[in-house]
Amino acid sequence: LDITQRYGAAKRRRATLDYDDLIVATRRLLEGAESASWVLYKLDGGIDHVLVDEAQDTNPDQWEVIRRLTEEFFAGAGAVDRNRTIFAVGDTKQSIFGFQRADPRKLAEMRDWFEARSQEANKRFAPVDLTVSFRSTPAVLDAVDSVFAQEEAARGVATAGQVEHVPSRQAEPGKVVLWPLVGADKTETDIDDLDGARGGLAQPHERLAALIAAHAGSLIGKERRARSGDKGGEKLNAGHFMVLVRRRNAFVNALVKALKRERIEVAGVDRLDLGEELAIQDLLALARFVLLPQDDLNLACLLKSPLVGLDEDRLFTLAWKRTGHLWRALRERAGDPAFAPAYTLLSTWLRRADFTTPFDFFSQVLGHEGGRRRLLERLGREAADPIDELLARALQYQRAEAGSLQGFLRWFEEGGGEIKRDLDANRRHEVRILTVHASKGLQAPIVYLPDTTRVPQSNDRLLADEDGTARLWIPRSDDANDAAREWRTATRDRALEEQNRLLYVAMTRAEDQLFVGGWIGSRKPDKGCWYERIATGLAVSDATPRTFDFSDLIGAEGWQGEGFELVREGRIEPPEQEELPLPEGDALPKWIAVAPEPEPDPPTPLAPSQPLPDEAVAEPRAFSPLAVGDARRWRRGQLLHDLLRHLPGLAATDRAAAATRYLSQPAHELTSEEIESWSREALAVTEAPRHAALFAPGSRAEVPLIGTVATPRGTFTVSGQVDRLAVSDSDVLIVDYKTNRPPPSAASGVALTYRRQLALYRALLQQIYPGRRVRAFLLWTATPSLMEIDAETLDKSMPYASAA
């Protein structure tokens, strides 16, 4: 209760709501608020169809919102006289998000409720059982059916009758293999927890990781997929493999290392805490050093890291009997050949830290200065993935915040280092490693299930009744009475049922082949674990018992044992054209160690409406020099430009009213005479028959242009905006509005600045529309009059044209 109250107070201080708050508030609005009837009445008129996707993962509060929104569908005459429907699709066998309060029992309850309401309203209710599987081969589906035909495995999965699937891929081959467990040798310790497990391949989880990597390597580029169709028969690549785990523990790290040793591309894990990676800790130590060189412990860690590379003896020599900070001691030994390279490197980083962004800082250290190479040589190829993610996070940070290294370090330490990646987006040929929860909705031709020997223990002290409306905290088991023990038993039963559904999801991610393994320490597998469930199911199926010997794949670290293999024969049609082989080899391109050329500093773009910097242009004033300065004349030009931009997009009958309404806004502070006069001036331009081609459908207003224009003095960047652009099959019309009063009577009286503006626009558009005639006009709104500037005049008006 105390935690809940403090969490609620923190949200109120920040005036924020979490996702559950939105759901509960919506339910409260539709159920108990005084305005609920009015809200439901308004919603009733606007909802024709309701679709509930992934209905098995919809929690009770969400279902109650859906109930309230759809009650009027079955109440006879409503706000609308249309036939309205609700469609819900869900599979209770895949309800695995209990931590989000998803409850498959609620789906069954709502199905019964909708069926009863449909019958009362004499409406059609059509339940559809989805038994046909379009994903998996018959071998995988037969194994799933056999496993969940067992009573213990079927709890929470088979709600009515047995689990049965009808495969759509009837003639396609498939395989399910149960490997023997890998156990610990007599000299090994129990590694059930795995946290902090280190050492060579003697550890059971590392031996299993090596087997998976070697087995995948034996299939890639050799076997073909069983899938028919466009991708039918293609050779397997790394992107066809998925490894599903229960927990993100040391096995995942061991598997990534094993895959990289086998030269198999791996996408990494779906969640990654960068702060726990050794390579990232070294790079963060570097960032802390350049921000605070006096931190001796941090500097010692940096000096020992691969980025600098001092050994224990030199570090001891540097630190022993020093008179000040470690950085001072290193500076004093800058002339010693043993310490000079380290001092030069650290000095370079210090000088650069205040003048570069976090991404640039780290990319230079890792790039041509050799930091990435030194880290990978020490830590292995698996360090490349965290390094790339750190660079991506640095780039992400500086796009949203001021690009300071200190700010990035603080942001990273406050949670910016936790990565959640969608491994199914922008897929490349890489092995995916996912938790079973994260794999929901995904699939792969080859799936490995290695984490199968432990059953998560439910030791929650906060218990709830079946409806989740009442909570009970039990600090000690002895404090529980009979009712509390019943609640605890029910909670554990629900957790066990969800574990069975989780196994169902894991097995059905496999399209063609499923390989199941597991490791144990000094303890035996937990009773009721996934490995036991699958072994029991395969034993009563058509699977064949088989003795496995993995010495051929992983050498001395291999093991022998009994397992099962379920094979369904079929035919694979190879594709008509083989895919091109992927390039092999680890040689890095030569440019990786070369510092990039500095980015060019582009010149300031020419503003078409302004004189050149080295050119004095005597432009005639549009106003009398004796007139009193009036800032409102600029407002007139701005408002007329706004009207000429938006009015052509309206129907001709609506333009006058729209112009008057726009100019009458209080912010413009216009008199009634100004409103009428300026509105009439704008309409005279848009309604003139001579201007019809300028405002025809397909013409555009305020078109930005940027590009380069060659002149006798070099190439210049030009950036500007065309007031009106109309493009036809033969011509391109450029129009620039001028609100000057009075306008010149002929083109010869037009200021050079105006002519040059059109000349530059014309030069850019000739590059965009080659083969079309580009014509340039000035439209004087005061008259109104449309004045064309001929091509010869425009050519003479180009910048530095006189030098030609």
Side-chain angles (χ1 to χ4, degrees):
L1 180 61
D2 179 61
I3 293 174
T4 303
Q5 290 176 343
R6 282 190 285 170
Y7 178 55
K11 287 189 291 184
R12 287 191 295 272
R13 283 196 304 270
R14 294 169 174 80
T16 57
L17 297 173
D18 61 23
Y19 187 64
D20 281 339
D21 292 333
L22 297 176
I23 298 172
V24 174
T26 303
R27 178 179 179 180
R28 189 182 304 119
L29 174 67
L30 299 179
E31 286 186 345
E34 295 180 357
S35 58
S37 298
W38 170 251
V39 172
L40 288 169
Y41 169 73
K42 298 298 288 184
L43 291 174
D44 186 39
I47 299 177
D48 291 331
H49 308 283
V50 173
L51 169 62
V52 184
D53 194 16
E54 300 290 353
Q56 77 279 353
D57 297 327
T58 305
N59 68 40
D61 285 324
Q62 292 171 320
W63 272 121
E64 291 305 317
V65 171
I66 297 169
R67 188 203 300 266
R68 296 292 292 173
L69 291 175
T70 57
E71 278 182 327
E72 290 296 321
F73 285 19
F74 312 98
V80 295
D81 188 17
R82 294 189 298 271
N83 183 36
R84 296 181 292 177
T85 62
I86 179 168
F87 179 81
V89 56
D91 184 0
T92 56
K93 299 189 296 297
Q94 300 190 48
S95 180
I96 60 174
F97 294 105
F99 59 89
Q100 294 179 351
R101 299 193 298 121
D103 189 345
R105 295 172 302 173
K106 190 65 177 182
L107 173 59
E109 175 191 325
M110 292 302 298
R111 175 172 171 165
D112 294 340
W113 184 83
F114 280 114
E115 182 176 13
R117 296 305 300 270
S118 299
Q119 293 174 352
E120 293 172 3
N122 198 25
K123 292 181 177 290
R124 180 170 175 263
F125 180 82
V128 178
D129 291 328
L130 304 178
T131 58
V132 178
S133 172
F134 297 89
R135 174 189 292 136
S136 304
T137 57
V140 175
L141 296 178
D142 288 349
V144 172
D145 292 347
S146 298
V147 169
F148 293 98
Q150 310 304 309
E151 181 178 355
E152 287 299 317
R155 291 177 56 187
V157 180
T159 54
Q162 288 189 339
V163 175
E164 294 182 357
H165 295 88
V166 178
S168 172
R169 303 170 58 190
Q170 289 283 355
E172 297 176 11
K175 180 189 297 184
V176 176
V177 178
L178 181 73
W179 287 333
L181 294 173
V182 52
D185 294 336
K186 294 181 180 180
T187 58
E188 294 172 356
T189 57
D190 189 355
I191 57 161
D192 295 339
D193 186 31
L194 291 184
D195 291 334
R198 293 292 182 266
L201 290 180
Q203 296 285 0
H205 68 286
E206 292 178 325
R207 294 163 66 191
L208 180 57
L211 171 63
I212 292 175
H215 183 265
S218 70
L219 301 180
I220 293 174
K222 301 178 180 65
E223 289 201 9
R224 296 183 181 274
R225 290 196 59 191
R227 174 74 70 177
S228 60
D230 295 338
K231 293 289 187 180
E234 66 173 330
K235 289 186 177 179
L236 292 173
N237 58 61
H240 293 140
F241 292 78
M242 179 188 293
V243 183
L244 302 182
V245 297
R246 303 284 293 274
R247 302 158 295 171
R248 300 177 182 89
N249 52 24
F251 170 79
V252 173
N253 297 329
L255 179 60
V256 172
K257 292 180 181 179
L259 290 168
K260 289 183 178 293
R261 280 196 301 268
E262 294 290 334
R263 304 286 196 270
I264 298 174
E265 294 296 328
V266 56
V269 294
D270 57 334
R271 286 182 185 268
L272 183 66
D273 187 353
L274 292 180
E276 296 181 355
E277 301 293 330
L278 289 178
I280 304 306
Q281 292 175 11
D282 290 339
L283 290 169
L284 294 182
L286 167 58
R288 295 188 186 98
F289 163 74
V290 297
L291 293 173
L292 185 64
Q294 292 77 21
D295 187 339
D296 290 345
L297 178 59
N298 179 75
L299 177 55
C301 295
L302 176 60
L303 291 173
K304 278 291 302 295
S305 75
L307 293 172
V308 180
L310 290 189
D311 55 26
E312 290 279 358
D313 292 338
R314 283 187 291 173
L315 182 60
F316 180 82
T317 301
L318 181 66
W320 178 245
K321 293 184 178 180
R322 68 184 187 276
T323 58
H325 289 293
L326 192 60
W327 172 237
R328 178 182 175 183
L330 180 61
R331 192 166 60 238
E332 292 171 349
R333 292 175 177 264
D336 187 337
F339 300 98
Y343 174 75
T344 302
L345 200 57
L346 293 177
S347 299
T348 302
W349 293 337
L350 266 174
R351 287 193 299 270
R352 194 171 63 227
D354 294 335
F355 302 98
T356 58
T357 64
F359 175 80
D360 290 339
F361 179 79
F362 286 122
S363 61
Q364 290 182 59
V365 170
L366 294 167
H368 68 276
E369 293 179 356
R372 178 189 291 268
R373 174 181 52 79
R374 291 193 292 271
L375 287 170
L376 296 185
E377 286 175 351
R378 175 81 65 85
L379 302 175
R381 292 161 53 92
E382 60 274 11
D385 191 32
I387 291 173
D388 292 339
E389 286 295 343
L390 178 68
L391 290 174
R393 299 301 274 182
L395 194 59
Q396 174 190 345
Y397 169 80
Q398 67 190 45
R399 284 173 176 169
E401 304 287 346
S404 72
L405 191 59
Q406 184 169 357
F408 170 74
L409 189 61
R410 180 175 181 272
W411 172 80
F412 186 92
E413 292 173 342
E414 289 184 348
E418 183 175 348
I419 307 295
K420 180 180 180 181
R421 297 181 293 188
D422 183 0
L423 298 186
D424 205 50
N426 302 320
R427 285 281 312 281
R428 296 185 294 177
H429 291 173
E430 296 173 329
V431 176
R432 289 171 290 171
I433 305 174
L434 300 159
T435 62
V436 182
H437 281 97
S439 72
K440 179 74 176 297
L442 306 181
Q443 60 196 53
I446 313 294
V447 171
Y448 295 97
L449 288 183
D451 190 1
T452 59
T453 59
R454 294 290 173 253
V455 176
Q457 299 299 317
S458 177
N459 296 317
D460 292 341
R461 299 186 184 276
L462 182 63
L463 305 179
D465 62 356
E466 289 194 2
D467 296 333
T469 56
R471 295 285 191 273
L472 180 63
W473 171 261
I474 303 180
R476 297 179 305 171
S477 299
D478 295 340
D479 296 334
N481 57 15
D482 291 341
R485 279 190 282 271
E486 290 180 5
W487 281 18
R488 175 174 290 168
T489 300
T491 299
R492 290 176 176 172
D493 289 344
R494 289 195 296 270
L496 178 61
E497 292 175 358
E498 183 164 296
Q499 291 303 313
N500 288 339
R501 294 192 293 269
L502 202 63
L503 173 59
Y504 175 85
V505 170
M507 295 184 69
T508 53
R509 298 311 94 192
E511 297 180 52
D512 304 340
Q513 301 181 41
L514 174 66
F515 294 89
V516 182
W519 72 86
I520 53 176
S522 58
R523 291 169 45 190
K524 293 182 179 180
D526 291 345
K527 181 176 177 56
C529 67
W530 286 2
Y531 191 91
E532 179 184 295
R533 295 262 196 269
I534 296 173
T536 302
L538 292 180
V540 297
S541 70
D542 296 336
T544 302
R546 179 185 163 187
T547 300
F548 291 88
D549 185 354
F550 298 125
S551 300
D552 293 339
L553 278 175
I554 58 175
E557 299 298 340
W559 67 98
Q560 297 180 346
E562 299 296 325
F564 288 96
E565 186 174 66
L566 175 62
V567 179
R568 292 287 183 262
E569 299 292 342
R571 179 175 176 79
I572 300 177
E573 295 292 344
E576 296 180 0
Q577 181 176 353
E578 290 284 351
E579 292 186 346
L580 294 175
L582 296 175
E584 297 182 356
D586 296 327
L588 294 174
K590 294 182 179 179
W591 55 259
I592 204 74
V594 179
E597 295 291 334
E599 294 189 9
D601 187 11
T604 303
L606 290 177
S609 60
Q610 300 296 324
L612 298 177
D614 57 348
E615 181 180 57
V617 178
E619 179 182 338
R621 291 177 59 86
F623 295 88
S624 168
L626 301 178
V628 178
D630 183 9
R632 292 171 64 84
R633 66 174 182 262
W634 305 117
R635 185 178 304 172
R636 171 179 168 271
Q638 293 170 353
L639 294 179
L640 285 176
H641 272 74
D642 287 343
L643 288 174
L644 294 175
R645 176 184 179 184
H646 296 291
L647 288 179
L650 303 176
T653 55
D654 298 334
R655 293 173 184 171
T660 302
R661 186 168 57 251
Y662 176 73
L663 295 176
S664 300
Q665 294 181 23
H668 297 153
E669 299 180 343
L670 302 182
T671 65
S672 57
E673 291 80 6
E674 288 173 326
I675 293 172
E676 182 181 356
S677 172
W678 295 2
S679 175
R680 187 168 55 248
E681 184 174 343
L683 292 171
V685 172
T686 60
E687 306 305 318
R690 188 185 177 198
H691 307 159
L694 306 178
F695 302 107
S699 61
R700 298 170 58 194
E702 306 286 352
V703 179
L705 285 177
I706 188 168
T708 57
V709 173
T711 73
R713 295 195 189 179
T715 300
F716 291 87
T717 302
V718 178
S719 178
Q721 185 168 276
V722 177
D723 288 341
R724 195 79 190 176
L725 180 67
V727 181
S728 67
D729 294 337
S730 59
D731 294 326
V732 178
L733 307 182
I734 315 168
V735 182
D736 199 57
Y737 302 137
K738 299 301 178 186
T739 57
N740 298 12
R741 293 180 297 192
S745 58
S748 59
V750 175
L752 174 61
T753 302
Y754 294 169
R755 288 184 275 116
R756 174 166 295 158
Q757 184 177 2
L758 291 174
L760 291 170
Y761 290 158
R762 175 173 172 265
L764 291 176
L765 289 166
Q766 283 175 330
Q767 300 176 43
I768 300 174
Y769 298 102
R772 304 190 197 189
R773 183 174 58 159
V774 182
R775 302 172 61 189
F777 299 85
L778 290 173
L779 203 162
W780 304 95
T781 63
T783 313
S785 63
L786 186 65
M787 179 184 295
E788 182 171 5
I789 310 298
D790 61 80
E792 183 180 355
T793 302
L794 292 176
D795 290 339
K796 293 179 180 179
S797 304
M798 285 289 288
Y800 309 114
S802 59

